[in-house]
Amino acid sequence: QKEVEQNSGPLSVPEGAIASLNCTYSDRGSQSFFWYRQYSGKSPELIMSIYSNGDKEDGRFTAQLNKASQYVSLLIRDSQPSDSATYLCAVNRGGSQGNLIFGKGTKLSVKP
Amino acid sequence: GAVVSQHPSWVICKSGTSVKIECRSLDFQATTMFWYRQFPKQSLMLMATSNEGSKATYEQGVEKDKFLINHASLTLSTLTVTSAHPEDSSFYICSATNPRGREKLFFGSGTQLSVL
């Protein structure tokens, strides 16, 4: 069974701190990795995508990928209360475009 | 960016009735759309892949006769929940890939279905 695992949280951080979200996946054939943010009752919104080992930065967000360890993470710097949401990790299904496996998500709470 | 429109946003129906959900790609042609379902505090689970002009591909455990998918044009896919029951109450989300984007999945706004 191909799986994506995340700590469900909640992860609570103070405003201005760095939030670190982690994800592991089981399918070594996965090539594309995504982080989505989902507010309660809303559909997911793409935050970051990453395809190669290393770090990828976009504003306050940094995605990190380690294919050898089958691990992908998301760092949120200078966390804001508006970042409070559930963050979903997703990986592709071995090359099938758009066909993703999602983790259960980590609920992040940023306290003012 | 690509826009995917989904209607209705929410629906309440009686047990035994059928409900149709529409998913439209507004500014691009989507040969493939995806239907997901999300129960409270759970992740998105892929139900089926909708292919324009051909039959949908259903995931294991999803009843194709209960969840009818029609993808009659390059911009429209519909999901019909037939003879809905309370256990079908869930958040249904469609998505599509923009051919110009690398495996980026654009989601519709979702449909909250409540079956009484």
Side-chain angles (χ1 to χ4, degrees):
Chain A
Q1 177 110 10
K2 298 175 181 177
E3 294 183 342
V4 176
E5 300 287 342
Q6 294 180 257
N7 187 323
S8 62
L11 172 65
S12 183
V13 300
E15 184 176 357
I18 295 175
S20 178
L21 305 165
N22 304 313
C23 173
T24 59
Y25 60 95
S26 62
D27 183 8
R28 285 192 172 273
S30 298
Q31 296 294 320
S32 304
F33 307 87
F34 306 90
W35 282 99
Y36 287 86
R37 177 174 61 196
Q38 186 177 29
Y39 294 109
S40 181
K42 303 295 184 182
S43 62
E45 171 193 8
L46 181 66
I47 297 296
M48 291 281 287
S49 59
I50 187 166
Y51 307 99
S52 55
N53 282 326
D55 296 359
K56 179 182 178 182
E57 185 175 320
D58 183 2
R60 296 187 296 113
F61 300 95
T62 298
Q64 299 173 318
L65 175 61
N66 185 324
K67 290 186 178 181
S69 300
Q70 296 175 243
Y71 174 91
V72 58
S73 67
L74 179 70
L75 300 178
I76 306 175
R77 290 181 298 281
D78 188 24
S79 296
Q80 302 297 309
S82 58
D83 293 328
S84 298
T86 297
Y87 289 80
L88 303 174
C89 173
V91 306
N92 80 319
R93 289 192 173 205
S96 177
Q97 185 177 18
N99 190 338
L100 303 179
I101 300 174
F102 285 84
K104 289 187 177 182
T106 298
K107 187 172 183 178
L108 172 66
S109 178
V110 180
K111 304 296 186 183
Chain B
V3 178
V4 176
S5 175
Q6 184 174 345
H7 293 283
S9 297
W10 58 270
V11 59
I12 301 173
C13 70
K14 293 182 179 180
S15 183
T17 60
S18 295
V19 175
K20 178 184 284 189
I21 303 170
E22 291 189 351
C23 181
R24 295 179 184 273
S25 56
L26 297 184
D27 55 356
F28 65 98
Q29 294 182 330
T31 55
T32 304
M33 292 185 176
F34 303 88
W35 287 95
Y36 287 84
R37 178 169 55 182
Q38 186 177 34
F39 292 107
K41 300 188 185 301
Q42 299 296 313
S43 188
L44 281 74
M45 296 297 294
L46 181 67
M47 298 175 66
T49 302
S50 172
N51 305 298
E52 188 269 335
S54 65
K55 292 182 179 180
T57 304
Y58 290 82
E59 295 299 306
Q60 189 174 7
V62 178
E63 299 175 59
K64 62 181 180 180
D65 294 330
K66 180 173 182 61
F67 299 99
L68 301 180
I69 292 174
N70 184 284
H71 195 153
S73 77
L74 286 171
T75 58
L76 174 64
S77 175
T78 61
L79 168 68
T80 301
V81 183
T82 62
S83 186
H85 291 281
E87 57 265 30
D88 298 323
S89 299
S90 185
F91 191 49
Y92 292 85
I93 312 173
C94 72
S95 64
T97 51
N98 185 339
R100 292 185 295 277
R102 182 180 175 183
E103 296 205 42
K104 292 184 180 180
L105 207 56
F106 294 92
F107 287 92
S109 55
T111 299
Q112 183 64 53
L113 171 64
S114 297
V115 184
L116 304 178

